[in-house]
Amino acid sequence: MLTFADQAIPYYNTLIAPANLPPDVGVLNPYQQPEVEHIVSEFYSRFFNDNKPRTFVLGINPGRFGAGVTGISFTTPQNLRRYCGIENDLRDTPELSSRFIYQVVEAFGGATEFYRHFFLTSLFPLALTKAGKNYNFYDDRATTKALWPAITETVRTQTQFGYNRKVAVCLGRKNESYLRRLNDQQGFFDRIVTLDHPRYILQYKTKDMPMYLERYIAILHECIE
């Protein structure tokens, strides 16, 4: 029987960027780089080398400084080294979402314990850019429409790795409307719970970060009980 890692590694390392995006929207595909291929293999072999179903924690699409560089959701090169024990030669990058997520990971008991229960991923697996900045798949209707079949297939394929269909965690209030629409169409999850997006928390609610961190941990524990 194939493990979660056996399925995730070839999926990511063979991802192809879509060709139907609007002309002003760019896409970053780090998985074509040998070092990222190695990182993906080491990460999933270390944390997902089993058949245990994971609870999905779904973001929007990667940022250009997180998974857009490392290939690992919400994970910068430095956090890959510091919290996951995976050495790499990638340049350190600033990424607010990764800072908060790895505070969550540490509060939950560290990377091994966190990833034993959860799979961090996104509705669309590749980073999008516009005018050199991060871009979300829902920022314009044409991009959303162009990517909707790929989003559907992304989530469908990843659930086949092994997932807890009883509940999914959605990151981002606006993202929630799209995940619920997808779930209404496909029936992937029985229930969806939503948390404020890490970038929103660090950009606008820094003073309240301990409260948000506590909220994250409480919801995550509820999802695996």
Side-chain angles (χ1 to χ4, degrees), residues 13-216:
N13 284 340
T14 57
L15 276 175
I16 297 174
N20 63 335
L21 286 168
D24 56 346
V25 177
V27 60
L28 304 177
N29 187 355
Y31 303 102
Q32 297 175 333
Q33 301 174 24
E35 183 166 8
V36 173
E37 290 184 9
H38 175 75
I39 287 168
V40 167
S41 295
E42 186 172 351
F43 178 85
Y44 285 99
S45 295
R46 177 174 295 198
F47 297 113
F48 293 84
N49 195 26
D50 55 56
N51 301 114
K52 177 180 169 62
R54 263 59 173 196
T55 297
F56 278 39
V57 181
L58 297 123
I60 305 159
N61 48 260
R64 70 192 192 279
F65 293 139
V69 174
T70 64
I72 305 300
S73 293
F74 292 98
T75 306
T76 58
Q78 61 269 34
N79 286 344
L80 198 61
R81 299 184 208 105
R82 178 177 180 183
Y83 298 105
C84 302
I86 297 177
E87 292 301 319
N88 63 85
D89 294 323
L90 299 173
R91 179 178 58 86
D92 289 356
T93 54
E95 175 57 76
L96 291 178
S97 295
S98 185
R99 280 173 51 195
F100 183 80
I101 284 294
Y102 275 91
Q103 289 187 48
V104 173
V105 168
E106 285 295 282
F108 197 84
T112 298
E113 180 64 13
F114 179 84
Y115 289 119
R116 189 166 71 88
H117 297 283
F118 300 101
F119 175 45
L120 281 174
T121 186
S122 300
L123 292 188
F124 182 68
L126 297 174
L128 301 175
T129 62
K130 188 173 184 178
K133 297 182 179 180
N134 285 335
Y135 201 64
N136 299 320
F137 74 81
Y138 56 54
D139 284 343
D140 73 84
R141 290 184 179 181
T143 300
T144 305
K145 183 178 179 180
L147 291 180
W148 197 251
I151 287 168
T152 304
E153 192 57 31
T154 292
V155 178
R156 176 182 291 113
T157 300
Q158 292 182 340
T159 59
Q160 293 170 1
F161 301 165
Y163 82 119
N164 169 19
R165 71 160 298 127
K166 293 181 180 179
V167 62
V169 180
C170 178
L171 301 184
R173 300 294 171 181
K174 189 170 181 179
N175 193 36
E176 178 184 14
S177 64
Y178 293 90
L179 178 53
R180 290 194 181 279
R181 172 181 156 192
L182 178 67
N183 202 51
D184 287 344
Q185 293 172 354
Q186 305 295 330
F188 291 130
F189 308 103
D190 295 340
R191 184 167 64 98
I192 294 168
V193 294
T194 302
L195 291 165
D196 288 294
H197 197 279
R199 174 168 286 279
Y200 167 80
I201 295 168
L202 283 192
Q203 194 163 352
Y204 300 107
K205 300 291 183 178
T206 306
K207 292 181 180 179
D208 297 322
M209 193 166 63
M211 181 265 292
Y212 282 102
L213 182 59
E214 186 176 327
R215 170 77 172 157
Y216 260 67

